[in-house]
Amino acid sequence: MKKLTAAVVGVGRIGWTLGFDKKREQPASHVMALKKNRRIKLIAGVDSNPKALALFRQKNPLTRAYQSVDELYQNLSPDIVVVAVNEDAHLSVALDVISRGPRLLILEKPVALNLKDAAKIKAAAKKHGVPILVNHERRFAYDYRAAAAYIATIGPLQSISAKLFSGMKLYDPDAEESGAYSLLHDGTHLVDIVLFLLESLGGGADGRLPLKKPIVTGVYRDPKNKKIVRELCAHYSSKLCPELSFFMSGRSRFFGFELDIVGTEGRVCIGNGYAKFYRRFESNLYTGFYSLSRDKKIVLPKKTGYFANMVQNAADFLDGKAPLMSTLQTGMNALAVLEEIKAAL
């Protein structure tokens, strides 16, 4: 079988160089994940930054290097094109690529700066018949997929607490045009994975959010600039879960990402570097009571496979073996929640 061909537009951090981070689970970038997949051949890298492109060309001598999408398509016509540029360039680059008609576009998260731009991408994709896979990476990770399967077994959900800790400003209205704020940059991951878990229980993938409007509390603003939000908590309710909260901080001196999902008969605690599954067992502390204990039947692989699985999903989709696991619509759903939160500030 002839290999699928791929090109990456944007050979910066997520596009390429995170693949050299020795502390991260590898592959950790689009270039590295594509090169490791036996079904796919990486044929080109594209970047408007001459220094980034020169380094890419030096390290990948057998792969073509171009300065623009136009130059790429003057020479090649890849099956898969990855758009891994900065948030403020998502719309223009995605529209440019879509107009060329690749068999699949892999779009780095967030889908766009806002829902208005995302709708333009959606309309163009429909017009040109280009399917889009969005790299909300946790949807592809073994640990989060195990969590999605497990919560279906722990009784009706009682609560979901999702938390994000970062040192980057959480929201700044002056950064709307650049997307340089954590609510969009990191919050999209937090919101998307919660929606993924709710989808696993039967809600929301078609665009109808399984959440009621939020109540935003605990808003902490930067003492030196009151327009900048450093911390907030957004409370939601849903038929699938009566209490759901997103706590996000942009004033922490560490990075943290964690979810605590509690059902009537069990619990899942999952975050960066850990996943713990609990089940209701007869208590060894109190006669006649039940307690939660670690479920020893759950054994996860050492690697989550988050990036490798995303690329494999792209290949399987083009081979007609599987649907896309992270779509433009699910990416837009996450944006819709973020816009609701901003509107409530």
Side-chain angles (χ1 to χ4, degrees):
M1 183 182 295
K2 185 179 179 181
K3 284 193 174 186
L4 299 165
T5 57
V8 176
V9 182
V11 291
R13 281 170 52 80
I14 196 66
W16 179 43
T17 61
L18 287 181
F20 299 103
D21 187 339
K22 294 182 179 180
K23 291 185 177 181
R24 291 176 184 258
E25 177 189 316
Q26 295 295 336
S29 70
H30 290 281
V31 166
M32 299 306 195
L34 290 166
K35 291 178 74 171
K36 286 183 176 294
N37 191 288
R38 295 181 179 180
R39 183 70 184 86
I40 297 172
K41 180 181 180 181
L42 179 68
I43 59 174
V46 180
D47 205 297
S48 60
N49 184 322
K51 290 184 178 180
L53 196 63
L55 182 61
F56 177 82
R57 182 182 287 111
Q58 177 187 341
K59 298 290 186 179
N60 300 275
L62 300 180
T63 303
R64 302 283 186 90
Y66 301 109
Q67 291 185 311
S68 68
V69 172
D70 191 52
E71 187 181 0
L72 166 68
Y73 273 92
Q74 287 177 9
N75 294 276
L76 300 169
S77 183
D79 297 306
I80 302 168
V81 178
V82 176
V83 171
V85 296
N86 291 339
E87 287 91 341
D88 57 355
H90 273 208
L91 176 62
S92 60
V93 176
L95 292 181
D96 192 2
V97 171
I98 289 169
S99 69
R100 317 286 180 147
R103 293 182 63 194
L104 177 67
L105 169 64
I106 298 178
L107 183 59
E108 187 51 45
K109 66 79 199 170
V111 172
L113 289 175
N114 51 59
L115 277 176
K116 183 179 179 181
D117 285 357
K120 294 177 182 178
I121 294 174
K122 182 177 181 179
K126 182 178 180 180
K127 177 182 177 180
H128 294 280
V130 177
I132 297 177
L133 186 160
V134 177
N135 187 32
H136 273 122
E137 59 194 36
R138 288 171 179 81
R139 286 177 175 258
F140 304 95
Y142 291 125
D143 50 356
Y144 282 97
R145 297 196 71 79
Y150 198 79
I151 64 173
T153 72
I154 61 174
L157 295 186
Q158 299 181 91
S159 67
I160 297 177
S161 175
K163 296 181 179 180
L164 169 68
F165 303 91
S166 169
M168 184 181 185
K169 58 188 176 184
L170 189 61
Y171 177 63
D172 181 355
D174 292 338
E176 284 282 5
E177 292 185 3
S178 67
Y181 57 94
S182 188
L183 183 64
L184 181 68
H185 188 74
D186 302 305
T188 183
H189 277 306
L190 193 70
V191 170
D192 179 73
I193 199 59
V194 169
L195 293 179
F196 168 70
L197 295 176
L198 295 179
E199 287 167 29
S200 72
L201 298 175
D206 58 359
R208 291 173 294 179
L209 295 178
L211 305 173
K212 297 180 180 179
K213 296 292 183 180
I215 297 174
V216 176
T217 63
V219 177
Y220 178 88
R221 297 182 181 274
D222 193 306
K224 297 181 179 180
N225 186 343
K226 295 298 183 180
K227 291 193 301 183
I228 296 176
V229 176
R230 289 286 179 180
E231 189 171 289
L232 63 79
C233 189
H235 302 269
Y236 284 88
S237 63
S238 163
K239 291 182 179 180
L240 296 172
C241 182
E243 170 57 31
L244 194 162
S245 65
F246 295 103
F247 173 81
M248 303 185 203
S249 174
R251 64 188 186 107
S252 303
R253 298 183 65 184
F254 61 92
F255 183 78
F257 188 104
E258 59 187 48
L259 275 68
D260 187 359
I261 306 111
V262 182
T264 56
E265 298 185 24
R267 183 178 188 178
V268 176
C269 300
I270 187 169
N272 288 352
Y274 70 92
K276 301 176 182 179
F277 299 77
Y278 298 88
R279 178 77 70 174
R280 171 183 177 269
F281 292 101
E282 187 173 347
S283 178
N284 60 0
L285 301 174
Y286 313 105
T287 301
F289 283 79
Y290 287 84
S291 300
L292 294 182
S293 299
R294 289 285 293 273
D295 191 337
K296 297 179 180 179
K297 294 180 181 179
I298 303 299
V299 179
L300 298 173
K302 291 183 179 180
K303 286 194 172 186
T304 69
Y306 69 103
F307 231 117
N309 290 347
M310 183 275 292
V311 168
Q312 186 59 49
N313 181 229
D316 289 343
F317 171 77
L318 290 177
D319 287 339
K321 297 179 179 179
L324 295 178
M325 292 162 51
S326 181
T327 66
L328 180 61
Q329 184 60 62
T330 60
M332 292 177 68
N333 293 349
L335 271 182
V337 172
L338 295 176
E339 293 201 355
E340 285 181 349
I341 293 172
K342 286 193 295 183
L345 291 174

